[in-house]
Every structure is written in structure tokens, then in C-alpha cells.
Amino acid sequence: DAGVTQSPTHLIKTRGQQVTLRCSPKSGHDTVSWYQQALGQGPQFIFQYYEEEERQRGNFPDRFSGHQFPNYSSELNVNALLLGDSALYLCASSLASGSFNEQFFGPGTRLTVL
Amino acid sequence: AQSVAQPEDQVNVAEGNPLTVKCTYSVSGNPYLFWYVQYPNRGLQFLLKYITGDNLVKGSYGFEAEFNKSQTSFHLKKPSALVSDSALYFCAVRDPYRFTGGGNKLTFGTGTQLKVEL
């Protein structure tokens, strides 16, 4: 059973560019959350998708947007990249219904903005 | 707003000794608490969670956590540390569950680097 997968593993961009990160949830999961982890910090919640809609959003500007597809996979898009967007971007999947299920995290995409 | 605090940036312990990684929380309502571990260049791995019930929660790899409501703490413990336990540990609190989906946003602490030495 494959866990959460993310692509690409690493990415280097320059300021002002746009980037798309991809995530495939763990089999059977229907909810995808995205987190940003800056160096030396804990992960910060960006947003969460369920039933192809953004259900909850953290304190991130509109430059950060996302999408969820019918197969539950998800994309994170960041426009007009800033140096401060350099971070590890983590995708997590979970089940929306049922008990208090934990989130399973992918290995992350390391984004470097030059 | 819900939050967790990890007061120690780093904890050092000798292999074979017990370890404790501290976490305190601030929530409105019932706390839903988690511990995750992160190895270098890896994502987060789930260790254990407290939703309700027994105050001592047992998790993966021999770890356990003690929930203390009066002290608003959720400390991670292990009776005998291994060198392979050296990693970055995060405490997290979850938003209350919502039936319609979502609502399980996690708020993480700043992390505690655990170093286990021979």
C-alpha cells in the first residue's frame, strides 16, 4: 500500500516565477492538507481540500492556491515566488469521516527560491 | 486559537536512559493531541495521539505520552532511549472534528531535537 507521495522531490525557482507541487494521498484517503515548513520551524497549515473544495485555510496570501482532483490527488500552486517561500512543502492525507484519524505525511518537496 | 508549546529546542540523553520531550497545550474545548517524528530530509511520521480515555497513550517504536489536564501537558516519553531515536519531534493539536469534512487542521509546536548518545 503506497503512502502519500509527492513530486517533485526538489525544485529550484527564481523570484517571480510560479510553481506547482503535486500530491497523491494514501490509498482510501479523501482529504488532503498542505503545510509549509521553513528551516528550523514547525509545519504551518496552508489549506485543506475535501470533495474538491478548499475547506479550511491558514494565514497564507492568495498567491497560494490549490486544487483537488476527483481521484483525491491535489496540487499546490504558488505564484509570484518570493525568497521567503523557500521551504519544505508537506502534503498530508486523512479520512474526513469516522474517528479522529491521524494525518499521514508525504516526504515533502523542497522548494528553493533564488 | 489553539496552540502547543515545546519549551526545549534540544534534549540530550544517553542510550538506555529514559527520555522525556515536553509539550504544553492551549485549547478551547477538548484537546486532540498528536506527536510526530521527523528524520532528516523526510516527512513527518505519526507516533501517537490522545483523543479521550486513558491518560497514558502508547504509540509506535516504544513511545508513550502522558496527558495531564490540570497541567495542560502532553509529554512524550520512552523508558529506554536508542541512538536511532535521534530525530526532530513535533507536538501538534488538531481542530475539533467536523462531520462535513475538513476541520482537522494541525497546529504544530516548534519542535524538539532529540539527541541520543552512546
Side-chain angles (χ1 to χ4, degrees), chain A residues 31 33 35 37 40-43 45 48 50 55-56 88 90 94-103 105-107, chain B residues 32 34 36 38 41-44 46 49 51 88 90 94-95 97-98 100-106 108-110:
Chain A
T31 300
S33 303
Y35 293 81
Q37 186 179 14
Q41 302 294 319
F45 177 78
Q48 183 182 79
Y50 171 70
R55 297 290 176 160
Q56 200 172 14
L88 180 68
L90 296 166
S94 58
L95 270 174
S97 63
S99 60
F100 296 87
N101 300 310
E102 60 271 21
Q103 294 184 25
F105 283 80
Chain B
Y32 306 120
F34 297 76
Y36 284 83
Q38 186 175 37
N41 301 315
R42 302 278 294 276
L44 278 69
F46 169 77
K49 64 184 176 185
I51 304 300
L88 186 57
F90 289 99
R94 178 183 142 155
D95 274 1
Y97 174 77
R98 294 197 301 227
T100 53
N104 57 350
K105 161 192 171 183
L106 289 173
F108 287 87
T110 51

Side-chain angles (χ1 to χ4, degrees), chain A residues 13-89:
Chain A
K13 293 285 187 179
T14 58
R15 282 179 298 174
Q17 285 189 312
Q18 179 264 344
V19 68
T20 297
L21 311 182
R22 296 176 175 81
C23 171
S24 291
K26 182 178 170 64
S27 177
H29 285 184
D30 56 10
T31 300
V32 173
S33 303
W34 287 92
Y35 293 81
Q36 180 196 65
Q37 186 179 14
L39 198 61
Q41 302 294 319
Q44 299 290 317
F45 177 78
I46 303 175
F47 44 52
Q48 183 182 79
Y49 278 83
Y50 171 70
E51 291 186 333
E52 302 179 48
E53 290 186 13
E54 183 183 295
R55 297 290 176 160
Q56 200 172 14
R57 188 178 183 92
N59 188 26
F60 280 81
D62 292 344
R63 298 187 297 110
F64 289 77
S65 63
H67 188 78
Q68 186 180 35
F69 299 94
N71 66 352
Y72 308 119
S73 66
S74 177
E75 288 182 350
L76 164 65
N77 301 293
V78 186
N79 294 323
L81 285 167
L82 303 174
L83 295 179
D85 294 331
S86 295
L88 180 68
Y89 288 84

Side-chain angles (χ1 to χ4, degrees), chain B residues 32-111:
Chain B
Y32 306 120
L33 299 162
F34 297 76
W35 275 102
Y36 284 83
V37 60
Q38 186 175 37
Y39 294 96
N41 301 315
R42 302 278 294 276
L44 278 69
Q45 296 179 30
F46 169 77
L47 282 178
L48 50 81
K49 64 184 176 185
Y50 173 83
I51 304 300
T52 187
D54 291 341
N55 290 340
L56 186 63
V57 179
K58 294 193 181 295
S60 305
Y61 314 119
F63 283 93
E64 56 191 28
E66 186 173 7
F67 173 74
N68 188 315
K69 188 173 183 178
S70 63
Q71 297 186 6
T72 62
S73 66
F74 188 56
H75 299 334
L76 181 69
K77 301 184 178 188
K78 188 175 183 182
S80 179
L82 299 172
V83 171
S84 58
D85 293 329
S86 298
L88 186 57
Y89 290 80
F90 289 99
C91 179
V93 62
R94 178 183 142 155
D95 274 1
Y97 174 77
R98 294 197 301 227
F99 179 75
T100 53
N104 57 350
K105 161 192 171 183
L106 289 173
T107 299
F108 287 87
T110 51

